[in-house]
Amino acid sequence: MKKILYFILIMFLCPIQSCDRKRQASEQEMKDSLAAANFMKCAKSLYNTLYDDDVECYEPRVFIKYRQPVNGYDVTVMCLPYNYTYDKERETEIWGNALLYFEKEDNRFYIYNESFSDSVLYYVNEQEVRDNMILELDYLPKSKNEYLSHNSPFFFSDVDFDGEEELIINNWRCGTRYCNTYDVYKITNNEAKRLIVEPFNKIESHAEFDSINKTIILNCYNGHRESYYKKYKQINK
């Protein structure tokens, strides 16, 4: 008798669960659609701000979707590749201004990156760059034993030693002698706020981090090609 009741109960619940799954799928499709619409609206605004269709500096738009979530965020990028002929190493490289869109459940935000690329887009891509080009890429993660990643376009790392990882945006080849520089963002209340105080506004690839002594060393150069360093130590949180 128990087996019969159990079978009837399952038969009764299945249609309800099926309807619930359909409703959830419909809601997710609506969220995805709204997110895509918001991203395109923001991307169009950026594009129209930087470029005018009537002038010769028109740039193609390359859309990039990363297959893997990064710290739980789904990430989409619109990149406007540079057309500097004097600084190009290959015609197929993708490197330029970009708008990065991060989304995780109810948390979403945009970040502008003036120099977006990574080792795959810059060195490996072999497709001809064209307008409305769409690329689906595997994300290049940061190694666990490093604070800064040279190859990743963005990553999470605890660079201020507070126990929480910050979002780090890689500015490709923007530093001294074509090294990378990095923008540091604190994510609070569903917003990404950039840290603009030293040393976080001057971090380059060769910065040294010491989590035990809570210190950061920046190697610097002056106009006479002389090098020196600045050492920062955390004295309170």
Side-chain angles (χ1 to χ4, degrees):
M1 183 63 180
K2 289 182 179 179
K3 291 183 178 180
I4 296 174
L5 289 175
Y6 179 72
F7 179 74
I8 294 174
L9 181 61
I10 293 298
M11 291 295 291
F12 177 71
L13 287 177
C14 279
I16 296 176
Q17 292 174 343
S18 177
C19 291
D20 187 56
R21 283 195 294 268
K22 289 181 179 179
R23 179 179 59 80
Q24 291 177 353
S26 178
E27 289 179 354
Q28 185 59 47
E29 288 177 2
M30 183 178 294
K31 288 181 179 179
D32 292 343
S33 178
L34 289 173
N38 288 333
F39 175 75
M40 289 302 297
K41 181 179 179 181
C42 197
K44 183 178 180 181
S45 175
L46 169 66
Y47 186 78
N48 292 338
T49 300
L50 292 176
Y51 300 101
D52 186 340
D53 290 342
D54 295 332
V55 298
E56 295 181 356
C57 64
Y58 171 81
E59 294 290 340
R61 293 156 292 184
V62 177
F63 295 91
I64 300 164
K65 171 66 177 177
Y66 289 96
R67 295 188 180 99
Q68 302 83 5
V70 183
N71 267 39
Y73 288 95
D74 292 323
V75 185
T76 310
V77 178
M78 183 193 76
C79 180
L80 310 177
Y82 298 133
N83 62 353
Y84 303 145
T85 56
Y86 64 86
D87 208 23
K88 270 185 174 291
E89 294 188 16
R90 60 197 58 79
E91 287 300 320
T92 57
E93 69 185 38
I94 297 176
W95 172 30
N97 298 286
L99 183 70
L100 284 67
Y101 175 57
F102 293 81
E103 181 181 22
K104 179 171 66 174
E105 297 176 350
D106 294 329
N107 185 1
R108 57 179 63 92
F109 54 85
Y110 304 91
I111 290 180
Y112 171 69
N113 184 359
E114 67 176 354
S115 187
F116 172 85
S117 192
D118 60 32
S119 57
V120 170
L121 294 170
Y122 190 80
Y123 296 111
V124 180
N125 178 57
E126 296 181 352
Q127 299 185 49
E128 180 184 356
V129 179
R130 62 187 184 280
D131 192 28
N132 285 324
M133 179 180 183
I134 299 176
L135 296 175
E136 189 171 346
L137 302 178
D138 289 319
Y139 173 73
L140 297 172
K142 175 180 71 69
S143 298
K144 293 182 179 180
N145 60 348
E146 62 181 358
Y147 274 89
L148 303 176
S149 172
H150 172 76
N151 295 315
S152 305
F154 53 88
F155 51 92
F156 287 80
S157 185
D158 182 14
V159 294
D160 64 355
F161 314 119
D162 67 347
E164 297 182 2
E165 291 185 323
E166 288 73 46
L167 171 60
I168 316 297
I169 303 296
N170 190 341
N171 297 304
W172 186 259
R173 293 169 63 91
C174 271
T176 307
R177 300 173 182 174
Y178 289 108
C179 73
N180 300 336
T181 65
Y182 301 88
D183 296 335
V184 180
Y185 287 84
K186 280 283 189 183
I187 302 177
T188 55
N189 299 324
N190 296 338
E191 290 183 349
K193 295 184 178 181
R194 184 183 171 190
L195 295 182
I196 57 175
V197 297
E198 292 188 23
F200 306 108
N201 61 339
K202 297 181 178 180
I203 294 179
E204 295 193 357
S205 300
H206 39 62
E208 301 175 27
F209 294 83
D210 184 344
S211 61
I212 297 177
N213 297 305
K214 303 292 192 296
T215 60
I216 300 175
I217 297 177
L218 302 184
N219 296 295
C220 309
Y221 300 88
N222 61 21
H224 301 287
R225 296 184 179 180
E226 296 173 340
S227 62
Y228 60 97
Y229 72 89
K230 291 183 178 181
K231 187 174 184 178
Y232 299 81
K233 180 175 177 60
Q234 184 189 78
I235 56 175
N236 56 55
K237 291 186 179 181

